[in-house]
């Protein structure tokens, strides 16, 4: 019975969002977010992250432990192979943006945004699989929310943040446009 339950849990935890294009593993955290109901989401913020505390740089559990130390989180973390880890439900507020401002002057960005972390180090670029996954994830998010802004962490916190690191933003924007996401492209 236990094995059957475990298999059912794993099947539910590795889900396909929007068809077979995304592999999503649910890894809910108990920190770095606030429960919310009926929140207005109009921004997606792209970040970079890696484990800088010793051990494997791209170990999701070590990255989550690092987030726990700072009491932060994001809705999603994208692994090097394109696997999506969902840490916080989209309906809730993840603490990923810190002190920041949207192009329209709105602050409290956490309360109105979805945060996507891409696993990459300071001296590496995101992989093609990661970029493709982010584009697919954006298409799904756009189906559920009226997103006005697609921004880098560095756009909303200039001088304080520099991520996403080594990401060819112009190429990413072109991939978003090719996927029909032209209304998400925002210049700060």
């Amino acid at each position: 019975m236990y094995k059957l339950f475990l298999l059912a849990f794993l099947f539910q935890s590795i889900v396909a969002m929007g068809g077979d294009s995304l592999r999503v593993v649910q890894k809910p955290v108990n920190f770095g977010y606030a429960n919310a109901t009926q929140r207005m989401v109009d921004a997606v913020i792209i970040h970079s992250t890696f484990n800088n505390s010793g051990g494997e740089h791209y170990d999701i559990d070590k990255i989550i432990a690092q987030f726990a130390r700072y009491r932060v989180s994001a809705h999603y973390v994208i692994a090097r192979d394109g696997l999506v880890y969902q840490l916080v439900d989209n309906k809730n507020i993840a603490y990923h943006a810190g002190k920041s401002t949207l192009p329209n002057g709105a602050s409290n960005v956490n309360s109105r945004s979805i945060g996507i972390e891409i696993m990459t180090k300071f001296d590496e670029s995101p992989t093609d699989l990661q970029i493709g996954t982010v584009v697919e994830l954006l298409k799904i998010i756009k189906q559920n929310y009226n997103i006005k802004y697609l921004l880098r962490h560095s756009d909303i916190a200039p001088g304080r943040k520099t991520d996403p690191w080594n990401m060819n933003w112009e190429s990413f924007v072109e991939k978003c446009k090719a996927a029909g996401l032209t209304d998400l492209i925002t210049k700060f």
Side-chain angles (χ1 to χ4, degrees):
M1 182 69 162
Y2 175 76
K3 288 181 182 180
L4 184 61
F5 172 77
L6 183 59
L7 284 174
F9 176 77
L10 289 173
F11 179 75
Q12 291 174 356
S13 295
I14 301 175
V15 299
M17 290 175 60
D20 295 326
S21 56
L22 290 182
R23 297 171 299 139
V24 180
V25 175
Q26 302 295 322
K27 287 204 59 96
V29 295
N30 61 2
F31 58 85
Y33 78 95
N35 289 321
T37 58
Q38 304 284 325
R39 78 182 184 115
M40 181 199 69
V41 174
D42 64 355
V44 175
I45 311 302
I46 307 296
H47 304 263
S48 292
T49 192
F50 70 99
N51 166 40
N52 199 23
S53 300
E56 170 58 40
H57 291 297
Y58 301 126
D59 181 318
I60 187 63
D61 294 317
K62 291 184 182 293
I63 290 169
I64 289 172
Q66 198 165 259
F67 287 172
R69 279 194 295 281
Y70 294 100
R71 310 298 293 165
V72 299
S73 191
H75 294 89
Y76 300 96
V77 178
I78 313 300
R80 300 294 285 173
D81 65 358
L83 182 65
V84 178
Y85 294 99
Q86 185 167 14
L87 308 184
V88 176
D89 192 293
N90 287 350
K91 71 179 182 180
N92 293 324
I93 301 166
Y95 302 146
H96 63 92
K99 184 178 178 184
S100 50
T101 307
L102 292 176
N104 66 358
S107 58
N108 197 9
V109 175
N110 287 328
S111 70
R112 57 191 305 147
S113 66
I114 291 176
I116 301 175
E117 296 271 2
I118 299 172
M119 286 187 192
T120 187
K121 297 186 300 184
F122 298 123
D123 61 349
E124 292 180 332
S125 298
T127 67
D128 290 340
L129 287 170
Q130 288 175 304
I131 297 300
T133 295
V134 173
V135 171
E136 290 302 311
L137 185 56
L138 287 170
K139 288 166 48 178
I140 294 164
I141 292 168
K142 180 75 170 110
Q143 292 172 0
N144 297 299
Y145 298 98
N146 183 24
I147 303 298
K148 297 179 189 173
Y149 303 111
L150 172 60
L151 300 164
R152 297 169 284 198
H153 200 189
S154 60
D155 291 329
I156 62 169
R160 189 174 70 81
K161 293 295 180 178
T162 60
D163 59 313
W165 309 305
N166 304 307
M167 183 173 179
N168 184 334
W169 192 255
E170 293 73 25
S171 173
F172 173 64
V173 166
E174 289 305 313
K175 286 178 171 52
C176 288
K177 287 180 182 177
L181 297 169
T182 54
D183 55 336
L184 289 185
I185 311 310
T186 306
K187 299 279 187 200
F188 199 88

